[in-house]
Structures are given as structure tokens and as C-alpha cells.
Amino acid sequence: MTFRVPTKTANSSGRGTTAATHPGAGNRDTLARTEVTRVLSSDRRRTLLEHLLDAGTALDVHTLIGWLADDEHGPTVETTIHQLRQRVHVSLRRTHLPLLEEYGLLVYNQTEELVVPTWRLELYESVLESDDRS
């Protein structure tokens, strides 16, 4: 199973988005099922992508952290919301944002702490919606 990538569009600055650097993504017009499965294998990544799709614009990393932590928070004695937010922040910066950037789904501006969706993110919209309906 493969997914057709929408035509590249210009971002708000008028320049096209850059191609992904991941060998699985590259400049191809499709992504293999294994690549889609890898990207969507994490609940945290799926939720992050859903928030980006809903927003349709750049989001502050701290806003994303808050949303993800709130989504995942279950009141327990062991973990406070502050501790959970710290864990989410570390996992986003070290794992999830770099992987999603490699596949060309977003651009993570570490200096400004912004996450910007790219044209490739549209590819995952139908897959994420079908997961929600299941």
C-alpha cells in the first residue's frame, strides 16, 4: 500500500518547502506502508500530527507540549503534570520532532521553538482520520 503525496506548494514566504532528508521519503511521490507505519507507530506522534493538521499553521512547541501532556495525563501519585510535561518535551525534542522532520512532515525551528507543518503532512490526514473512526 502506498500513499500519493500532494503536489508541492509554496509556504507563506513564497518559497516551496524543502524535501525530506530521510532516505525513505526523499523526493518520491509515494510513501511505502512500512514508512507510514513507522511514523504512525507512536500515539504521541499521531496526536502531534492531528494537532498540526487541526491548526493548519505553525505552533509553539510549549503549546504542543501542553496539549500532549493534557491528553496523556492520568492522575497518579507517581507522576505530576509538571513531570509529564518535562517527559513530553524531552521525547519531542529528541525523538518525535526529528523523525517527523526527516520524513518531511514538519519543520522544527529550535531557535524560535516553532513547529511548522509542511505540504507532506496532508498525506497523513486521511490515515489519521481513518484511525480515529476505527
Side-chain angles (χ1 to χ4, degrees), residues 32-119:
R33 175 187 282 274
T34 55
E35 295 164 332
V36 173
T37 301
R38 179 170 186 223
V39 171
L40 299 180
S41 66
S42 163
D43 289 339
R44 192 169 283 170
R45 279 195 294 271
R46 281 195 309 275
T47 303
L48 181 139
L49 293 174
E50 288 169 356
H51 284 299
L52 278 175
L53 281 166
D54 289 344
T57 188
L59 291 173
D60 181 80
V61 170
H62 298 289
T63 300
L64 281 170
I65 290 167
W67 288 342
L68 292 170
D70 290 346
D71 287 345
E72 297 175 17
H73 187 271
T76 63
V77 176
E78 300 93 33
T79 305
T80 66
I81 189 69
H82 177 71
Q83 290 169 325
L84 180 57
R85 284 176 189 235
Q86 287 179 324
R87 290 179 189 160
V88 169
H89 189 206
V90 169
S91 75
L92 285 182
R93 292 191 77 194
R94 292 186 182 170
T95 304
H96 303 299
L97 293 175
L99 178 80
L100 294 169
E101 191 168 41
E102 284 180 22
Y103 277 95
L105 300 175
L106 57 82
V107 174
Y108 174 41
N109 182 325
Q110 293 182 24
T111 306
E112 296 182 23
E113 289 287 312
L114 286 176
V115 177
V116 182
T118 67
W119 61 275

Side-chain angles (χ1 to χ4, degrees), residues 6-24:
T7 305
K8 186 186 246 189
T9 58
N11 61 24
S12 61
S13 68
R15 297 185 309 258
T17 56
T18 58
T21 57
H22 193 279

